[in-house]
Amino acid sequence: MLSRIAESLYWIGRYVERAEDTARILDVHLHRMLADPWVDEETACRSLLGVMGVSPIEQPVSAARVVGLLGLDEHNPSSVVGALAAARENARGARETVSSEMWETLNATWHGLPDARRRVEQQGVHAFFRWVRERCSVLAGLTDATMSRDEGWLFLVLGRSVERVDMTARLLSTHVRAGGSIPSWLTLLRSCGAWETYLRTYRGSLDDRHAAEFLLLDRLFPRSVFAALSTAESCLAELEPDPSRAGVATDAQRIVGRSRTNLEFRGADELMADLGTVLAGLERTCSQVNDAVSRRYFRQTSAVLWLSEAVA
Amino acid sequence: MADLFEDYRLGPGWDEMFGEPSMPRPTYEALHATLQPLSSAELGIRAEVLARAFLDQGITFALKGVERPFPLDIVPRIIAADEWRVVEAGVGQRVKALEAFLDDVYGAGQVLADGVVPRRIVVTSAHFHREAAGINPHNGVRIHVAGVDLIRDEQGTFRVLEDNVRVPSGVSYVMENRRAMAHVLPEVFAATRIQPVESYPGQLLRALRAAAPVGISEPTVVVLTPGVHNSAYFEHALLAREMGVELVEGRDLVCVGNEVAMRTTAGEQRVDVIYRRVDDEFLDPVHFRADSVLGCAGLINAARAGRVTIANAVGNGVADDKLLYTYVPDLIRYYLNEEPILPNVETYRLDEDPDVLAHVLDRLDELVLKPVDGSGGAGIVIGSQATDEQLAAVRERIEVDPRGWIAQREVALSMVPTLVGNRLRARHVDLRPFAVNDGEKVWVLPGGLTRVALPEGALVVNSSQGGGSKDTWVLTESATLADEPSAVDPPIVVVPSPHSPDPGPAGGPVAVQQQQQQQSARSSGAPPC
């Protein structure tokens, strides 16, 4: 597979996941701010912006402003609209590789974006975020149903998993930053679509330890950090057909594996006690994996050499 | 109910659908019968569905950096089987003559020595590349794909307007138009036998594989695109996808020791045949534009060494030169010893005879003036529609450079009913059939791209000039469903397997149903929470 195409697929995976997760996070946070009379809007918004990597802003920050920056800013590839546009642009450059149905879904979604702002004004932000979640789900379904499980698939799933680890870590950081009060664990679980599953798993006992354990360590819930790291790990393993005699073959495998075991073999109590450091470590992991994957698969170019005998 | 064709007026030029008002030609009877009872609102809805589908699928071309859907008109253009046989033979003949010419001018130059074509025309052509001399393709083919632009004149005769043997585009719209039309006008398809067009990518791949360097039995074929910002990017991606080959950009290729390879996640992989959609000038910075980032350094040397095949071959543009076009009938006689099947449009050469030049300069307002190396309708001046300033400007340019221009009689192109607003109006069309040469035979795709000039009276149909397209139907020899041709493939027989009854959920289904009914009865009136 062409390196350029592999890179596009990896980024399609990342951007679509980013769009979906950002929509989820915003939706739940904004709802929470409206529903809870004790929330200080300014503080909650600033905390959210900080976690999502938006540099601090001088002016007062409102919920509407957060929607503008993280939801609708088309020039920011980390906003919902920007990420969807970036995913579409990547798919356009890899059009002979992604299935027609995937392309058409991304393209039609992109064509629907100019309506997003109108939708927000007319029907409220929730309708917009819901639409985004639906479009991402349609895409995930078509990816699952129409893409052959070859290298391209591995790169797309790898990108999706890396982004998921990153976004879930950021989501948990919103809790840590706000001093554990806002947003509640309930909010976080809802953001991840994990609320019902959590209730069934722990029979309704809602406490910090169990909630953190669930989002960080659950083996079965697909949006947990552990599950996403494991998926990334197996993608990387499949991309390297020849396992090395000792340890693993690539930097990326090493980084992901270390991060996964670091979670797995520390108990939930220990993780909770040191949550801020653990989450910062996960964000670092994502950026390191990204670099390692780029170096190994996307940028492997032999430098052009001008030799006299080659020209003759 | 208002008839869709009620106030349809025949325009200047051959009307493809009507011989005389309200009397459709036999080829169009089925289509006319289907369209006539539709209201303009119904037709409008179908046209909207068509446009929406194109937008969603990204069937677009880029104009000044903005992606636009390529407008597809809902009324197709139909060509009878016997008319098509002439077109097919004429296009094939032309491609063979041009192949022989290219082989000659980049080789022995016999045609120049014999004075059939003046040497100065070839050596002054902007697209004659000495770099291409001595690159002899293994199977002799230089024109793997040709697009020959045809028009029908006032008498309904097909004439050649120009040849495109560099990188002719538009075939993707032929395929997509057909798919889309089958969705919105299924009833006409059911009543008409139309020759299919979907075999094009297969034919192209066969021709490309046949052109592989000597000794390569399983060649790796790629399509080379300038990238997503190119106006024909959609087509490049479609052809790569439908041929099942990689779509590469210049930066994906690397050329070392006359071998071309593409950069893959598993290292470099050799490439044998490049179907390039990048112009000559951008193909290889070593030989052409040094600032080009669209190509790959070393490509020309690799082709010369016979290690990679470039399709279409470098330097074909000399056969596209519009002044050379005036010699093609002579080339057909010279190389093939045949009479041209398709006539040219009457054309004046301006660089030979001062009297001809003076005559043309006198009548600029009646003629069509074309720059010889332009494409896409760029720079064309239609005398009858030009302002005095435009005519003065073109006169000045012709006087300075008579070699750079040709003058043609203004032909009223044939017309086909086209949906404009919510009514059908006569609009001018042309036709670009596509030919694929595998070295054994020139195959012509039945149909081709019909382009339509949307503004009233406009004669320039190019998409870059705001034109649209029509699905082009070539009827089979037996046009009615009654004369079913004998099937070549045995029909597939599907034996339905008996359905085993669905076991349904375990447990007492009746009891569960009753409970659920009671449940819903109890909660009726209040919304479920």
Side-chain angles (χ1 to χ4, degrees), chain B residues 110-124:
Chain B
Q110 196 59 44
V111 70
L112 310 177
D114 288 347
V116 179
V117 174
R119 189 176 297 272
R120 67 186 154 77
I121 289 187
V122 170
V123 297
T124 56

PDB file of all heavy atoms in Angstrom, chain B residues 110-124:
ATOM      1  N   GLN B 110       9.792  10.003 -42.629  1.00  0.00           N
ATOM      2  CA  GLN B 110       9.500   9.806 -44.055  1.00  0.00           C
ATOM      3  C   GLN B 110       8.411  10.759 -44.545  1.00  0.00           C
ATOM      4  O   GLN B 110       8.473  11.300 -45.636  1.00  0.00           O
ATOM      5  CB  GLN B 110       9.068   8.342 -44.282  1.00  0.00           C
ATOM      6  CG  GLN B 110       9.102   7.881 -45.715  1.00  0.00           C
ATOM      7  CD  GLN B 110      10.510   8.014 -46.320  1.00  0.00           C
ATOM      8  OE1 GLN B 110      11.509   7.663 -45.680  1.00  0.00           O
ATOM      9  NE2 GLN B 110      10.587   8.545 -47.541  1.00  0.00           N
ATOM     10  N   VAL B 111       7.398  10.971 -43.681  1.00  0.00           N
ATOM     11  CA  VAL B 111       6.261  11.813 -44.067  1.00  0.00           C
ATOM     12  C   VAL B 111       6.730  13.247 -44.327  1.00  0.00           C
ATOM     13  O   VAL B 111       6.181  13.950 -45.185  1.00  0.00           O
ATOM     14  CB  VAL B 111       5.162  11.762 -42.985  1.00  0.00           C
ATOM     15  CG1 VAL B 111       5.609  12.471 -41.711  1.00  0.00           C
ATOM     16  CG2 VAL B 111       3.845  12.346 -43.483  1.00  0.00           C
ATOM     17  N   LEU B 112       7.785  13.652 -43.638  1.00  0.00           N
ATOM     18  CA  LEU B 112       8.326  14.991 -43.833  1.00  0.00           C
ATOM     19  C   LEU B 112       9.169  15.024 -45.105  1.00  0.00           C
ATOM     20  O   LEU B 112       9.080  15.951 -45.905  1.00  0.00           O
ATOM     21  CB  LEU B 112       9.159  15.411 -42.617  1.00  0.00           C
ATOM     22  CG  LEU B 112       8.483  15.235 -41.261  1.00  0.00           C
ATOM     23  CD1 LEU B 112       9.445  15.619 -40.136  1.00  0.00           C
ATOM     24  CD2 LEU B 112       7.213  16.063 -41.177  1.00  0.00           C
ATOM     25  N   ALA B 113       9.961  13.969 -45.294  1.00  0.00           N
ATOM     26  CA  ALA B 113      10.800  13.889 -46.484  1.00  0.00           C
ATOM     27  C   ALA B 113       9.939  13.858 -47.743  1.00  0.00           C
ATOM     28  O   ALA B 113      10.291  14.467 -48.762  1.00  0.00           O
ATOM     29  CB  ALA B 113      11.680  12.640 -46.411  1.00  0.00           C
ATOM     30  N   ASP B 114       8.794  13.183 -47.660  1.00  0.00           N
ATOM     31  CA  ASP B 114       7.903  13.087 -48.817  1.00  0.00           C
ATOM     32  C   ASP B 114       7.070  14.349 -49.005  1.00  0.00           C
ATOM     33  O   ASP B 114       6.279  14.431 -49.953  1.00  0.00           O
ATOM     34  CB  ASP B 114       6.961  11.885 -48.680  1.00  0.00           C
ATOM     35  CG  ASP B 114       7.706  10.565 -48.864  1.00  0.00           C
ATOM     36  OD1 ASP B 114       8.858  10.619 -49.333  1.00  0.00           O
ATOM     37  OD2 ASP B 114       7.142   9.502 -48.542  1.00  0.00           O
ATOM     38  N   GLY B 115       7.175  15.292 -48.093  1.00  0.00           N
ATOM     39  CA  GLY B 115       6.471  16.561 -48.242  1.00  0.00           C
ATOM     40  C   GLY B 115       4.978  16.500 -48.013  1.00  0.00           C
ATOM     41  O   GLY B 115       4.251  17.404 -48.416  1.00  0.00           O
ATOM     42  N   VAL B 116       4.495  15.425 -47.356  1.00  0.00           N
ATOM     43  CA  VAL B 116       3.060  15.341 -47.071  1.00  0.00           C
ATOM     44  C   VAL B 116       2.697  16.364 -45.990  1.00  0.00           C
ATOM     45  O   VAL B 116       1.687  17.049 -46.081  1.00  0.00           O
ATOM     46  CB  VAL B 116       2.661  13.915 -46.617  1.00  0.00           C
ATOM     47  CG1 VAL B 116       1.178  13.839 -46.289  1.00  0.00           C
ATOM     48  CG2 VAL B 116       3.036  12.917 -47.696  1.00  0.00           C
ATOM     49  N   VAL B 117       3.564  16.438 -44.990  1.00  0.00           N
ATOM     50  CA  VAL B 117       3.416  17.462 -43.956  1.00  0.00           C
ATOM     51  C   VAL B 117       4.704  18.280 -43.964  1.00  0.00           C
ATOM     52  O   VAL B 117       5.793  17.696 -43.923  1.00  0.00           O
ATOM     53  CB  VAL B 117       3.213  16.815 -42.566  1.00  0.00           C
ATOM     54  CG1 VAL B 117       3.210  17.885 -41.477  1.00  0.00           C
ATOM     55  CG2 VAL B 117       1.929  16.009 -42.521  1.00  0.00           C
ATOM     56  N   PRO B 118       4.611  19.607 -44.068  1.00  0.00           N
ATOM     57  CA  PRO B 118       5.843  20.414 -44.055  1.00  0.00           C
ATOM     58  C   PRO B 118       6.599  20.251 -42.743  1.00  0.00           C
ATOM     59  O   PRO B 118       5.991  20.251 -41.669  1.00  0.00           O
ATOM     60  CB  PRO B 118       5.322  21.844 -44.195  1.00  0.00           C
ATOM     61  CG  PRO B 118       3.907  21.732 -44.666  1.00  0.00           C
ATOM     62  CD  PRO B 118       3.406  20.412 -44.215  1.00  0.00           C
ATOM     63  N   ARG B 119       7.913  20.102 -42.843  1.00  0.00           N
ATOM     64  CA  ARG B 119       8.737  19.893 -41.659  1.00  0.00           C
ATOM     65  C   ARG B 119       8.569  21.017 -40.643  1.00  0.00           C
ATOM     66  O   ARG B 119       8.524  20.803 -39.436  1.00  0.00           O
ATOM     67  CB  ARG B 119      10.212  19.797 -42.089  1.00  0.00           C
ATOM     68  CG  ARG B 119      11.167  19.370 -40.987  1.00  0.00           C
ATOM     69  CD  ARG B 119      12.584  19.218 -41.524  1.00  0.00           C
ATOM     70  NE  ARG B 119      12.716  18.170 -42.527  1.00  0.00           N
ATOM     71  CZ  ARG B 119      12.973  16.885 -42.216  1.00  0.00           C
ATOM     72  NH1 ARG B 119      13.133  16.528 -40.966  1.00  0.00           N
ATOM     73  NH2 ARG B 119      13.060  15.992 -43.170  1.00  0.00           N
ATOM     74  N   ARG B 120       8.394  22.255 -41.167  1.00  0.00           N
ATOM     75  CA  ARG B 120       8.335  23.399 -40.249  1.00  0.00           C
ATOM     76  C   ARG B 120       7.123  23.293 -39.304  1.00  0.00           C
ATOM     77  O   ARG B 120       7.166  23.756 -38.177  1.00  0.00           O
ATOM     78  CB  ARG B 120       8.309  24.702 -41.033  1.00  0.00           C
ATOM     79  CG  ARG B 120       7.058  24.900 -41.845  1.00  0.00           C
ATOM     80  CD  ARG B 120       7.087  26.128 -42.749  1.00  0.00           C
ATOM     81  NE  ARG B 120       6.187  25.911 -43.871  1.00  0.00           N
ATOM     82  CZ  ARG B 120       4.857  26.007 -43.768  1.00  0.00           C
ATOM     83  NH1 ARG B 120       4.304  26.341 -42.642  1.00  0.00           N
ATOM     84  NH2 ARG B 120       4.089  25.759 -44.810  1.00  0.00           N
ATOM     85  N   ILE B 121       6.042  22.658 -39.777  1.00  0.00           N
ATOM     86  CA  ILE B 121       4.861  22.546 -38.916  1.00  0.00           C
ATOM     87  C   ILE B 121       5.172  21.690 -37.700  1.00  0.00           C
ATOM     88  O   ILE B 121       4.782  21.988 -36.571  1.00  0.00           O
ATOM     89  CB  ILE B 121       3.688  21.939 -39.717  1.00  0.00           C
ATOM     90  CG1 ILE B 121       3.205  22.962 -40.708  1.00  0.00           C
ATOM     91  CG2 ILE B 121       2.577  21.489 -38.779  1.00  0.00           C
ATOM     92  CD1 ILE B 121       1.971  22.567 -41.427  1.00  0.00           C
ATOM     93  N   VAL B 122       5.920  20.615 -37.957  1.00  0.00           N
ATOM     94  CA  VAL B 122       6.250  19.720 -36.855  1.00  0.00           C
ATOM     95  C   VAL B 122       7.241  20.372 -35.894  1.00  0.00           C
ATOM     96  O   VAL B 122       7.023  20.405 -34.683  1.00  0.00           O
ATOM     97  CB  VAL B 122       6.801  18.387 -37.402  1.00  0.00           C
ATOM     98  CG1 VAL B 122       7.370  17.534 -36.284  1.00  0.00           C
ATOM     99  CG2 VAL B 122       5.701  17.648 -38.153  1.00  0.00           C
ATOM    100  N   VAL B 123       8.303  20.935 -36.436  1.00  0.00           N
ATOM    101  CA  VAL B 123       9.357  21.437 -35.541  1.00  0.00           C
ATOM    102  C   VAL B 123       8.935  22.728 -34.824  1.00  0.00           C
ATOM    103  O   VAL B 123       9.505  23.088 -33.810  1.00  0.00           O
ATOM    104  CB  VAL B 123      10.707  21.651 -36.264  1.00  0.00           C
ATOM    105  CG1 VAL B 123      11.233  20.322 -36.783  1.00  0.00           C
ATOM    106  CG2 VAL B 123      10.580  22.660 -37.394  1.00  0.00           C
ATOM    107  N   THR B 124       7.918  23.418 -35.335  1.00  0.00           N
ATOM    108  CA  THR B 124       7.464  24.615 -34.629  1.00  0.00           C
ATOM    109  C   THR B 124       6.276  24.326 -33.715  1.00  0.00           C
ATOM    110  O   THR B 124       5.775  25.223 -33.057  1.00  0.00           O
ATOM    111  CB  THR B 124       7.030  25.721 -35.618  1.00  0.00           C
ATOM    112  OG1 THR B 124       6.023  25.187 -36.486  1.00  0.00           O
ATOM    113  CG2 THR B 124       8.194  26.231 -36.430  1.00  0.00           C
TER     114      THR B 124
END
